[in-house]
Amino acid sequence: MIKPKSCCIVGGGPAGMMLGYLLARRGVSVTVLEKHADFLRDFRGDTVHPSTLIALQQIGLLQRFNELPQSRINRLSVRMGDVVQTVADFRGLAPFDYIALVPQWDLLNLLAEAAKQFPHFTLQMQHEATALLHDGDRVIGVNARTPNGEREFRADLIIACDGRGSTLRDSTSLTVEELGAPMDVLWFKLPKPPASNGELFGVIGAGTAIVLIDRNDYFQVAYILPKGSDMELRSAPLEKFRQTLASLVPELKDSTAAIQSWDDVKTLEVKVDRLKTWHQPGLLLIGDAAHAMSPIGGVGINLAIQDSIAAANVLAPVLAVGGEPNDALLSQVQRRRLPAVKKVQALQLALQNNALSAVLAAKGEAPKIPAPIRWLLKFRILRNIPARIIGYGFDREDVE
Ligand SMILES: Cc1cc2nc3c(=O)[nH]c(=O)nc-3n(C[C@H](O)[C@H](O)[C@H](O)COP(=O)(O)OP(=O)(O)OC[C@H]3O[C@@H](n4cnc5c(N)ncnc54)[C@H](O)[C@@H]3O)c2cc1C
């Protein structure tokens, strides 16, 4: 009888949970190690784009996903001074003409519950991988800290899905290309005033920009500031920060009182990078562990899920019949995904190093979108182009 090969996935984020589900569904024996006790963590992004909705539909989970509490947006707009400009318009796109905003833990719980139906799937919470195990040059497992002490997990293939601060990536000598970012982001919640019109709302001011993500009863707010200026901002009185917010978005003036201390404001150090090679014998890295994305476009979750689909499409047919996860196979995953990652990162870098840098450097008055671009954006068909890129991405993978 053929014995399928085994996989150990480190990290139960969007990449790890989706890959765990997809491999187990194809009969591959999978163990996912997640260091936290649950998926209820701080805000890490909620934007489920059409590319992910298509994947959920293809694996038969869309109906259950639709039952999760969510809001939907079909336009991304920015306000500069008193001008509001829609920059991406999903209306008219098919099969999905919206982005769903769903707390990430709900999506991860859904995938975990669905994966547990497969006999080959095991999810180990509170299991933190601490080091790779080697046999010569080949990775053969990981050491993990568990509630019952240190334990070894051995598998035919280890897949690192442990995010932008990947411990497993740090344990290798793989080369990382740092692509840089001119900004950091502060995250916090503000109560939502009654009127909201189904658009993701960016507000551009002089020296800063904010994004308001509608989470039904409150806004998750991203405040963008020049890289490294976080400490300076935090050393000023909190009231000054509240006033800056109120001057950017006057309708949030009353809501700013909800920020009671700087502890309510979390800093995300933005980094954009990618590995030159995503694999070595016995080890594959995907998602943020292989390429940390800029927050521009809110594409990180969706790219991580696309990586999982590509990895499952390449690996499952081989592993399920006992085939070797050799370097040639692992490099196919990178070859399928790298072009899309490069294209998205190139667009993000172009936007952050030009438009966003100009906003961050502006003094006095908020910069304006150049008139020719505003004229082009009058046409929905042209506003559909950025929406298609953000929502459907490049080189979209279908679940095989
Ligand atoms: C503040 C913030 C806001 C964001 N907003 C958005 C957004 O709006 N839209 C969007 O698409 N993207 C957003 N992103 C990016 C998005 O979260 C990531 O791109 C995406 O989650 C990457 O998925 P992943 O599975 O590769 O990694 P992660 O989501 O980082 O998941 C990694 C998982 O591995 C676990 N882990 C880490 N180390 C270990 C270990 N040693 N052992 C075991 N488990 C481990 C972690 O607990 C985590 O569950 C945001 C990120 C941040 C930080």
Side-chain angles (χ1 to χ4, degrees):
M1 199 172 112
I2 294 168
K3 186 167 176 291
K5 294 287 188 204
S6 60
C7 270
C8 176
I9 295 174
V10 173
M17 291 313 302
M18 180 58 102
L19 181 58
Y21 176 93
L22 293 174
L23 290 177
R25 172 178 175 265
R26 304 280 297 266
V28 177
S29 165
V30 188
T31 301
V32 179
L33 308 181
E34 166 53 49
K35 72 176 175 186
H36 288 98
D38 54 38
F39 296 118
L40 284 172
R41 267 156 270 141
D42 252 349
F43 181 74
R44 299 213 337 253
D46 293 352
T47 52
V48 177
H49 290 192
S51 62
T52 299
L53 296 171
I54 293 174
L56 290 167
Q57 187 171 47
Q58 290 172 339
I59 58 180
L61 294 181
L62 186 63
Q63 198 179 332
R64 281 167 67 184
F65 175 83
N66 285 340
E67 287 160 10
L68 297 174
Q70 59 186 273
S71 45
R72 294 178 177 179
I73 48 172
N74 53 26
R75 278 164 292 162
L76 305 182
S77 301
V78 290
R79 185 162 82 194
M80 288 144 294
D82 45 13
V83 178
V84 175
Q85 176 67 58
T86 297
V87 289
D89 200 332
F90 293 81
R91 292 170 302 171
L93 298 186
F96 296 99
D97 63 356
Y98 60 89
I99 291 177
L101 299 180
V102 175
Q104 199 180 112
W105 56 78
D106 280 342
L107 173 64
L108 297 176
N109 276 325
L110 170 66
L111 291 171
E113 283 311 311
K116 281 179 194 162
Q117 71 179 295
F118 302 118
H120 313 284
F121 179 85
T122 311
L123 173 60
Q124 300 278 17
M125 302 303 282
Q126 285 181 285
H127 279 54
E128 179 176 3
T130 50
L132 292 167
L133 298 171
H134 291 92
D135 179 7
D137 284 348
R138 192 179 172 79
V139 173
I140 54 164
V142 290
N143 258 329
R145 202 174 290 132
T146 82
N148 303 317
E150 287 285 327
R151 224 187 111 183
E152 281 186 3
F153 285 82
R154 290 179 181 243
D156 298 302
L157 179 63
I158 305 296
I159 307 179
C161 299
D162 51 346
R164 63 207 291 275
S166 172
T167 305
L168 297 195
R169 171 163 119 175
D170 289 347
S171 332
T172 68
S173 52
L174 294 170
T175 310
V176 183
E177 285 178 84
E178 300 286 350
L179 303 173
M183 77 288 200
D184 287 327
V185 180
L186 302 182
W187 289 99
F188 48 92
K189 295 173 185 172
L190 288 182
K192 201 172 95 176
S196 175
N197 58 4
E199 298 181 33
L200 185 71
F201 200 36
V203 182
I204 293 180
T208 185
I210 67 174
V211 178
L212 304 171
I213 297 173
D214 190 336
R215 271 190 148 188
N216 290 326
D217 47 351
Y218 64 90
F219 279 127
Q220 183 73 45
V221 186
Y223 179 95
I224 299 160
L225 71 173
K227 191 159 229 16
S229 62
D230 171 41
M231 287 318 286
E232 191 188 325
L233 184 81
R234 283 174 188 269
S235 63
L238 189 58
E239 187 49 33
K240 192 169 165 217
F241 182 55
R242 292 198 196 102
Q243 282 167 5
T244 309
L245 291 175
S247 67
L248 271 172
V249 197
E251 41 295 36
L252 288 182
K253 186 171 184 297
D254 293 338
S255 309
T256 58
I259 310 175
Q260 298 200 335
S261 91
W262 281 114
D263 291 344
D264 296 332
V265 179
K266 306 271 181 311
T267 303
L268 166 69
E269 222 185 286
V270 175
K271 60 176 185 174
V272 188
D273 66 26
R274 63 176 175 256
L275 284 176
K276 272 206 154 107
T277 308
W278 297 13
H279 57 91
Q280 64 181 58
L283 175 71
L284 173 68
L285 300 95
I286 62 167
D288 273 17
H291 48 76
M293 307 301 293
S294 162
I296 290 178
V299 293
I301 299 169
N302 304 280
L303 254 91
I305 285 181
Q306 288 292 305
D307 284 4
S308 315
I309 299 171
N313 285 344
V314 169
L315 299 173
V318 177
L319 300 181
V321 298
E324 277 305 320
N326 55 26
D327 271 13
L329 192 70
L330 302 183
S331 72
Q332 275 184 45
V333 178
Q334 174 173 354
R335 275 208 304 282
R336 265 167 99 140
R337 291 301 303 148
L338 186 60
V341 169
K342 276 187 166 174
K343 282 179 235 174
V344 175
Q345 284 182 331
L347 281 176
Q348 289 182 324
L349 292 179
L351 280 170
Q352 71 182 31
N353 296 342
N354 296 294
L356 194 58
S357 290
V359 168
L360 294 176
K363 304 241 182 301
E365 220 182 291
K368 299 206 167 23
I369 297 185
I373 298 185
R374 280 219 313 276
W375 184 81
L376 288 173
L377 287 171
K378 280 190 194 326
F379 303 96
R380 194 174 88 185
I381 197 153
L382 297 180
R383 297 195 305 266
N384 279 162
I385 296 170
R388 182 162 285 287
I389 292 172
I390 293 169
Y392 291 84
F394 297 106
D395 312 320
R396 191 181 59 72
E397 288 276 337
D398 284 312
V399 179
E400 283 167 12

